[in-house]
């Protein structure tokens, strides 16, 4: 049977589609993906007919049944990011080493998760992996790349192991995550992976587009998710984002007959024992109760199967703090100022420029308490007129910024502490003086 000259274009398009979607496209969607008009459906249908039984197949009376044949071995339907698995293993080994000898039969949660993911990844690929603690610790003293999936990680030296000379290796120490919620911390680490990749490749616009995506659209329909990944700004990160599993199927995050999204952060809510719903973040829930946020339409269980959502760790460490950053950027922009989010690939949060040569460097902190040690890590920007750390007004009752800054600012080498409303007022004052000059 003759194969059309458009075969490769269709194959490439379908491979991209199935890297995101579980079900096949409709004819209209395939036209759109091919850059064709809906009226050209008949042409696409003819092309598909010449490929039927060779490259593609479908059920004549079933929607979204188009499927792709491939001569290559099928990839497993479940793929776990290798870097995440190694972080769990590294964290678990560090935690295990700290246990007293009589308690080392108790496997730390991180090590248990890492071993399970390691075994499952190997099982899906028809390979071998440690099945118990003795086998794991035998492997941990050998090269990490002896586990074949780890060979996919670029620049990983074959000399590196998890345990060296009977103690935790430098690799494990560097790759461990810290915090009470190891799962959320591992999920947060993917944000650092994106940051390092963008810095290494000078992808400032791509990084900005990525941050805005996870902040403004932590949940979205498959079709919109596909459209976002096709944007020119995000194209350099497409493969990386898919591999790191920034977004997962939304129905993996909760179970029920209906899904509700938080009116403020737009993330999947949890169901209380009494049947009501609440945001996963208590502070976000409080803001919803005191502010005029309108409820969002619920999503049925059937429709939720076609939605994606960021992982809880990405939501906690990427979405929630970013809401304030974007809100401050919008308010300052309304004043006529030039505001750049995450300049120089996230060296700080906002660069605010006043005409002609006044520049503010702002880091926004949505903290439950003032952490002096973390504040001291904020670098005073010598290429800016002022360097600020800004906090939400809603936190002032607990943070008491107006009081504690008198004691803290002398220790911060020029960094100033302000509330959201104060930074807006200070900007208005500067602009008013310039207008009156």
């Amino acid at each position: 049977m003759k194969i059309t000259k458009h075969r490769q274009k269709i194959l490439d398009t379908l491979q991209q589609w199935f890297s995101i979607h579980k079900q096949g496209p409709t004819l209209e969607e395939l036209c759109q993906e091919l850059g064709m008009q809906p009226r050209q459906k008949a042409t696409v249908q003819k092309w598909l007919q010449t490929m039927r039984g060779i490259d593609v197949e479908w059920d004549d009376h079933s929607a979204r049944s188009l499927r792709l044949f491939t001569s290559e071995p099928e990839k497993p339907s479940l793929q776990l990011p290798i870097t995440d698995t190694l972080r769990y293993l590294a964290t678990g080994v560090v935690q295990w080493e700290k246990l007293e000898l009589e308690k080392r039969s108790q496997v730390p949660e991180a090590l248990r998760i890492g071993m399970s993911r390691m075994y499952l990844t190997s099982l899906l690929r028809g390979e071998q992996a440690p099945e118990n603690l003795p086998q794991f610790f035998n492997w941990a003293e050998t090269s990490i790349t002896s586990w074949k999936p780890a060979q996919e990680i670029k620049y990983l030296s074959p000399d590196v192991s998890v345990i060296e000379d009977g103690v935790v290796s430098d690799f494990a120490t560097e790759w461990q995550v810290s915090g009470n919620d190891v799962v959320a911390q591992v999920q947060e680490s993917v944000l650092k992976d994106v940051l390092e990749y963008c810095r290494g490749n000078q992808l400032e616009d791509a990084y900005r587009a990525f941050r805005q995506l996870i902040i403004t659209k932590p949940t979205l329909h498959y079709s919109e998710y596909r459209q976002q990944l096709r944007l020119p700004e995000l194209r350099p990160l497409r493969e990386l984002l898919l591999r790191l599993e920034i977004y997962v199927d939304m129905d993996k995050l909760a179970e029920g007959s209906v899904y509700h999204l938080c009116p403020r952060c737009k993330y999947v809510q949890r169901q209380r024992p009494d049947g009501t719903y609440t945001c996963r973040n208590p502070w976000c829930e409080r803001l919803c109760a005191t502010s005029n946020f309108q409820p969002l339409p619920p999503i049925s269980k059937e429709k939720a199967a076609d939605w994606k959502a960021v992982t809880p760790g990405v939501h906690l460490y990427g979405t929630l703090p970013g809401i304030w950053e974007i809100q401050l950027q919008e308010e300052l922009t309304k004043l006529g100022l030039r505001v750049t989010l995450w300049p120089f690939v996230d060296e700080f949060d906002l660069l605010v420029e006043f005409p002609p040569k006044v520049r503010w460097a702002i880091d926004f902190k949505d903290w439950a308490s003032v952490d002096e040690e973390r504040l001291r890590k904020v670098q005073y920007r010598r290429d800016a007129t002022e360097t600020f750390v800004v906090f939400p007004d809603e936190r002032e009752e607990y943070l008491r910024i107006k009081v504690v800054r008198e004691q803290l600012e002398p220790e911060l080498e020029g960094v100033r502490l302000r509330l959201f409303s104060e930074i807006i007022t200070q900007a208005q004052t500067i602009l008013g003086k310039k207008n009156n000059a």
Side-chain angles (χ1 to χ4, degrees), residues 410-430:
E411 306 295 326
L412 300 179
E413 300 181 352
V415 176
R416 308 299 182 192
L417 308 185
R418 296 289 185 270
L419 295 172
F420 190 114
S421 60
E422 290 179 322
I423 210 72
I424 298 297
T425 299
Q426 190 165 338
Q428 291 172 330
T429 300
I430 292 177

Side-chain angles (χ1 to χ4, degrees), residues 94-111:
V94 172
Q95 292 175 346
W96 184 84
E97 186 184 51
K98 294 178 181 178
L99 294 175
E100 298 176 4
L101 291 177
E102 62 271 16
K103 295 182 179 180
R104 288 192 173 181
S105 60
Q106 303 172 7
V107 182
E109 179 190 16
L111 184 54

Side-chain angles (χ1 to χ4, degrees), residues 325-337:
E325 295 161 3
I326 288 181
Q327 185 176 339
L328 181 57
Q329 182 257 349
E330 291 174 346
E331 292 301 315
L332 290 169
T333 300
K334 289 177 183 178
L335 299 178
L337 296 171

Side-chain angles (χ1 to χ4, degrees), residues 26-45:
T26 64
L27 204 53
E28 291 83 356
E29 290 170 335
L30 183 55
C31 280
Q32 182 181 1
E33 292 294 307
L34 290 168
M36 301 173 67
Q37 300 296 322
R39 55 184 172 80
Q40 296 178 284
K41 287 191 299 183
T43 300
V44 175
Q45 180 71 30

